[in-house]
Structures are given as C-alpha cells and as structure tokens.
C-alpha cells in the first residue's frame, strides 16, 4: 500500500522536518499589538512558506488583497486533475505578540528552544507547527514518488490573530470558487482532547464580542465638588452589567437562548464517556471550584452551552474623581442555532434598558460569528477518524471545542464543503500566553495523520 512508503519516509525524515519547523518559528511574524510592525517578520514568514511550496512544485501565489493587509499564501498541488477530489487546507502563519508579559517567558520566544520534547516558541502550537505538519506530509508523499490521492489547495493566512480581514474579503469575493467543488476543508487550529488523546472536533462555538462605553461628565471631575449631583459612569456600568449570570449559571439577558437546541442523546453519550478530572481543572487553573449550569456536565458546559463573559472593565483612576467614561468588553460564545446578530441586539438592548434614558452609551468593535458544527453521521467522519488512528496509533475521540474560528464558518458557507478539524495542540500549550509550546512527538504523529488523511479522503469518494 502506497501510504506505507510515505509513513516510512516521514519517520525517517522527522528530525529534518523539526529543524525546518524551528526555522519557521524563529521568524517573529507577530500580527497583533505593538510588536506587529517589528522586523518585517510577517513578510519573511510569507516568503518562507512560498519557498516551501515552490520546492514541492506547487503553483504558489502570494495574494495581496489590499495595501494594508498581510499576504495570503495560496498554493495548489502539481497537476490538478478533475478525477481527484480537491481538499482545502487552512492555517495561519501569523502569531500573537510576546508581551503578555514578556518577563514571564522562560526562553527567548523566537529562539526555537526544545525542552523535554516540546518546542517552546511563540507560534509553535498556534499555528505554525500544526499547519506545517500538513506541508511535510505532502512533501513526504511526493518524495517517495506517490501521486497525491487528492488535489490540495493550501490557504495560509497572516491575520488570524487580528481578525482575518484579507481572508474574509478574499472568500467573500469568490477567491475560492475556482477550486469548486471541494470535498472538504482540513484545519489543525484546535486542540486534542488531551495528551495521547487525539480527536476529531465536530464543532466550534461562535462568538459575539462588543465593547461598550458609558459617558458621564465632559472630563473627570472632583467627587467632593460634584458628588451626589452627577451620574457616575462607573456606577452606571456596573449596575447595567450586574448579575448578567444568575446563581444557577443562567445568562439573564432576555431572549439570549433563542434557537439553542438540546444536545442529541448520542452526542451526550460521547462526551459522557470521556474522562474528566474536575480537580485537575481546578489545580491547573488555580481556582477553588468550577461553576456554571451544574445540571450540565463539565464538557457540555465547555463545548455545547453558550457563555457570557466580561473581558474587560475600566473607568476613572484611583483618586477621588467621578470619571468621564467607563468601558467594558463583553463576549459571548454561541452554540448551533443561535444567531449572532440576534444575540448582539439582545445584549445591547438589555444593557441600554438598564441605563438611565438620558445617559449616552456607545457599542463598537464587534466580532460576530455563528457556531460551526459537523454532523456526527457525515460520511467524512469515518475516514478522518481512520487517518488519526493511523497517524497516532491510538483510538481517536470525537469532541467539540469552546473556542471560535470565524473564518471557518465563512469558508464552510462559501464552499458548501464540510470542515474537518483535526487539532494537534493541547489546551496546556499556552496559546496567546508566555512559554507557548508544541509537542514534537505530536508534530511527528500529526504529519503521519495528515498523510493518512489524504490517503483515506482519496478513497472516500469513488472516482
Ligand atoms: N485557535 C483559536 C481558536 C480556538 C480556541 C479553537 C480554543 C479551539 C479552542 C483562535 O486562534 C482564536 O483564538 N480565536 C479567537 C477568535 C475571536 C478573537 C474572534 C477566539 O476564539 O477567541
Ligand atoms: Mn490564536
């Protein structure tokens, strides 16, 4: 069987692949915050990928959607054929900043240090390692002279950490339509269920994120002079945001749960069968206990129930003033059936209804995206599970994730093709935080999984 040769090649070449991944993570391709402009890292990472794809004989394009966006890398495998299905692979080469805080990093975030089998570097897990695994699987197959079982189109963006502006425009303008019809999209930007617990992720939660500002006096004023006669925006805001979650863990915004479907018994059973150590969560997170809608098991709360969080609260300063304004950032994670526009309207309406009528408030900087969900019975679930099994030599589990990848929903809607989420990272990889890391053993098993995935997907449809 042809797959055997590619797997043997991967096993033989893995150290070389690791060295190349180290070169990739040494490029500081930060797309967020004040580090974003530094060192031209974004352009360099884009160039690194172009080189990689060109060496594999891919038709490679650096797509500059507009002047002020980072380039998309679009690369198509050699000799595409109408007799083979086409699979899209999405990933991102941009990374988060390193000032969170910089002093908490135990290593130089761009030195590609290896510790106990982990690559410790910004972007190692989110998302350079996992997306690079897919490139190396292709390289191995081509190196042993196998023809690719599927045509592949890689789309690696440079703005995932700052809103995917170029990519959403590219998708909306039909940039992917030339590859239609797609069999599926494959993405490794989620996590495994745990160490040695590889998984296929069936769903991602959607998101509603908004920032609210409540306005008071024209500038900060002395609270001795003017206390008792003007409204204090800090007070107004905390009153408006008070008890958005009740003692039962229910979100109290009217109509918030509109459209939420109960979980099927089959999915309930799937998640009930996974080991959960609540005490380990508490230890890992440094909290005394876990909360929420306790009638739902922990994994259902994490993956299948909507959330509401106040991400930021600020106003005034620690002195005796009445502040001019107060601000909060609020985000909700959405589940299948919830409409982001509707949730945003409900949330805004509820907050405004709790503010005095003559108080000015402003909502801005929204992110809105519905949840993504792949049906348990979809015919590609089986080949994906088989591939993970081959790659890891372990029985995979089905999961969902609580996080959001808005562009996934756009890609799924535009292409009409399902998205297979095959995460290679761990929830302990410190995404966005200091000392981000990625297991090099999972990198190796991930490359094997990817090769097996092309193989099994090629067999999934009669040609
Ligand atoms: N890779 C994550 C998404 C993710 C997080 C998937 C947790 C599974 C579990 C992605 O890079 C991310 O952080 N997305 C943001 C999107 C938001 C800013 C619109 C998120 O989920 O907060
Ligand atoms: Mn991220």
């Amino acid at each position: 069987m042809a797959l055997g040769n590619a797997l043997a090649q991967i096993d033989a070449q893995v150290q070389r692949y690791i060295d190349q991944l180290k070169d990739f993570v040494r490029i500081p391709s930060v797309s967020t915050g004040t580090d974003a402009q530094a060192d031209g890292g974004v352009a360099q990472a884009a160039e690194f990928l172009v080189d990689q794809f060109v060496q594999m004989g891919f038709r490679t394009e650096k797509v500059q959607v507009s002047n002020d966006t980072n380039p998309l890398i679009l690369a198509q495998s050699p000799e595409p054929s109408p007799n083979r299905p086409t699979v899209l692979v999405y990933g991102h080469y941009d990374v988060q900043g390193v000032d969170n805080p910089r002093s908490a990093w135990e290593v130089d975030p761009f030195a590609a240090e290896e510790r106990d089998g982990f690559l410790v570097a910004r972007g190692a897990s989110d998302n350079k390692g996992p997306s690079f695994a897919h490139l190396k699987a292709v390289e191995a197959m081509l190196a042993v002279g196998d023809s690719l079982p599927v045509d592949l189109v890689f789309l690696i963006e440079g703005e995932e950490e700052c809103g995917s502006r170029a990519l959403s425009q590219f998708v909306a303008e039909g940039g992917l339509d030339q590859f239609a019809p797609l069999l599926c999209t494959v993405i490794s930007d989620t996590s495994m269920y745990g160490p040695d617990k590889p998984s296929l992720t069936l769903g991602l939660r959607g998101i509603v994120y908004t920032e609210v500002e409540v306005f008071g006096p024209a500038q900060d004023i002395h609270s001795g002079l003017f206390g008792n006669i003007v409204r204090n925006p800090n007070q107004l805001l905390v009153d408006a945001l008070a008890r958005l979650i009740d003692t039962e863990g229910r979100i109290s915004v009217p109509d918030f749960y509109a459209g939420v479907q109960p979980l099927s018994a089959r999915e309930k059973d799937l998640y009930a069968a996974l080991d959960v150590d609540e005490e380990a969560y508490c230890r890992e997170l440094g909290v005394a206990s876990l909360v929420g809608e306790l009638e739902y098991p922990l994994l259902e709360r994490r993956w299948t129930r909507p959330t509401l969080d106040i991400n930021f609260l600020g106003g005034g300063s620690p002195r005796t003033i009445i502040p001019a304004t107060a601000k909060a950032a609020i985000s909700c994670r959405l589940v299948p059936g919830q409409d982001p526009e509707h949730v945003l309207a409900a949330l805004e309406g509820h907050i405004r209804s709790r503010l005095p009528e003559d108080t000015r408030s402003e909502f801005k900087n929204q992110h809105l995206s519905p949840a993504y969900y792949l049906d348990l019975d979809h015919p590609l679930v089986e080949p994906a599970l088989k591939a993970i099994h081959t790659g890891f030599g372990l029985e995979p589990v089905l999961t969902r994730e609580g996080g959001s990848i808005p562009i996934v929903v756009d890609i799924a809607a535009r292409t009409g093709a399902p998205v297979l989420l095959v995460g290679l990272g761990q929830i302990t990889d410190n995404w966005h935080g200091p000392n981000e890391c990625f297991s090099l053993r999972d990198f190796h098993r991930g490359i094997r999984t990817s090769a097996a995935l092309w193989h099994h997907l090629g067999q999934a449809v009669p040609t």
Side-chain angles (χ1 to χ4, degrees):
M1 176 184 67
L3 179 61
N5 294 336
L7 294 177
Q9 168 75 0
I10 292 166
D11 296 346
Q13 296 294 314
V14 66
Q15 189 54 50
R16 196 167 58 83
Y17 301 154
I18 290 172
D19 292 339
Q20 292 178 350
L21 174 60
K22 288 181 179 172
D23 288 340
F24 193 18
V25 299
R26 280 192 193 100
I27 305 171
S29 47
V30 178
S31 68
T32 59
T34 48
D35 300 328
Q37 284 82 25
D39 304 330
V42 163
Q44 217 186 314
E47 223 27 71
F48 175 92
L49 286 173
V50 168
D51 274 1
Q52 289 280 327
F53 284 118
V54 168
Q55 278 174 36
M56 295 194 291
F58 274 53
R59 203 183 78 191
T60 310
E61 214 186 320
K62 207 157 62 175
V63 184
Q64 193 66 53
V65 172
S66 63
N67 287 332
D68 59 344
T69 54
N70 297 337
L72 305 172
I73 307 302
L74 186 64
Q76 186 175 23
S77 55
E79 295 162 46
S81 153
N83 300 323
R84 280 189 300 235
T86 303
V87 174
L88 177 71
V89 182
Y90 162 84
H92 63 96
Y93 67 81
D94 64 318
V95 303
Q96 281 278 334
V98 291
D99 50 358
N100 28 44
R102 180 66 180 79
S103 59
W105 280 85
E106 289 162 15
V107 299
D108 176 340
F110 299 110
E113 284 206 38
E114 198 177 318
R115 285 196 174 178
D116 306 325
F118 284 81
L119 178 60
V120 188
R122 172 56 85 227
S125 181
D126 183 14
N127 167 253
K128 286 174 173 170
S131 44
F132 201 55
H134 293 300
L135 269 81
K136 294 296 112 178
V138 177
E139 186 186 299
M141 279 189 154
L142 295 175
V144 297
D146 288 352
S147 60
L148 294 177
V150 291
D151 288 331
L152 288 163
V153 176
F154 279 75
L155 180 61
I156 317 280
E157 70 156 320
E159 297 179 323
E160 195 275 344
E161 303 295 0
C162 60
S164 300
R165 229 165 17 105
L167 183 53
S168 21
Q169 191 181 330
F170 181 76
V171 173
E173 288 173 355
L176 291 174
D177 299 0
Q178 55 181 311
F179 306 112
L182 291 180
L183 177 65
C184 63
T185 298
V186 171
I187 304 181
S188 295
D189 196 18
T190 47
S191 59
M192 303 187 354
Y193 182 60
D196 290 327
K197 290 268 181 338
S199 41
L200 176 69
T201 298
L202 295 172
L204 294 166
R205 285 191 292 205
I207 191 159
V208 164
Y209 171 96
T210 185
E211 294 169 3
V212 56
E213 183 160 15
V214 173
F215 297 89
Q219 60 176 62
D220 291 1
I221 54 177
H222 197 287
S223 62
L225 291 175
F226 303 110
N228 270 348
I229 66 164
V230 295
R231 291 199 171 102
N232 181 325
N234 275 342
Q235 188 65 54
L236 295 175
L237 186 63
V238 296
D239 286 348
L241 300 183
R243 289 177 304 278
L244 288 179
I245 299 179
D246 72 16
T247 51
E248 253 69 76
R250 292 279 294 181
I251 295 157
S252 54
V253 175
D255 218 27
F256 181 86
Y257 290 93
V260 175
Q261 305 296 317
L263 200 61
S264 74
R266 279 175 69 207
E267 241 194 301
K268 250 183 168 320
D269 290 347
L270 274 181
Y271 306 147
L274 298 175
D275 320 319
V276 180
D277 179 348
E278 302 217 4
E279 276 170 20
Y281 274 85
C282 289
R283 242 180 292 120
E284 186 74 37
L285 299 170
V287 297
S289 58
L290 300 178
V291 300
E293 300 163 299
L294 296 180
E295 68 273 32
Y296 296 93
L298 182 138
L299 292 176
E300 290 186 29
R301 296 188 335 258
R302 268 188 66 207
W303 297 339
T304 74
R305 296 292 299 166
T307 68
L308 185 154
D309 279 286
I310 301 172
N311 308 113
F312 169 84
L313 262 184
S317 56
R319 57 188 123 234
T320 52
I321 49 106
I322 296 168
T325 80
K327 263 192 196 179
I330 302 162
S331 62
C332 305
R333 300 283 173 174
L334 311 189
V335 301
Q338 279 182 298
D339 170 16
E341 307 270 355
H342 185 82
V343 170
L344 177 66
L347 178 64
E348 265 196 47
H350 183 60
I351 293 172
R352 283 196 209 274
S353 77
R354 292 170 126 199
L355 292 168
E357 234 170 74
D358 65 355
T359 295
R360 191 160 74 83
S361 61
E362 206 176 86
F363 289 78
K364 58 180 185 197
N365 295 330
Q366 277 91 8
H367 293 290
L368 296 183
S369 176
Y372 174 75
Y373 185 68
L374 176 69
D375 194 279
L376 202 53
D377 291 318
H378 192 283
L380 294 186
V381 167
E382 215 32 63
L385 290 175
K386 256 203 252 174
I388 298 170
H389 188 256
T390 304
F392 279 81
L394 295 165
E395 202 53 58
V397 293
L398 290 165
T399 61
R400 288 204 208 180
E401 283 268 33
S404 315
I405 313 180
I407 197 69
V408 168
V409 183
D410 297 353
I411 291 174
R414 183 77 197 197
T415 65
V419 179
L420 301 177
L421 298 161
V422 183
L424 300 176
Q426 297 292 338
I427 57 175
T428 46
D429 282 354
N430 300 326
W431 291 347
H432 300 198
N435 307 306
E436 179 176 345
C437 60
F438 183 49
S439 157
L440 291 172
R441 181 148 185 245
D442 288 338
F443 177 56
H444 179 184
R445 299 189 291 191
I447 302 169
R448 292 169 49 93
T449 298
S450 176
L453 193 55
W454 313 146
H455 177 81
H456 291 303
L457 289 175
Q459 296 189 330
V461 271
T463 52

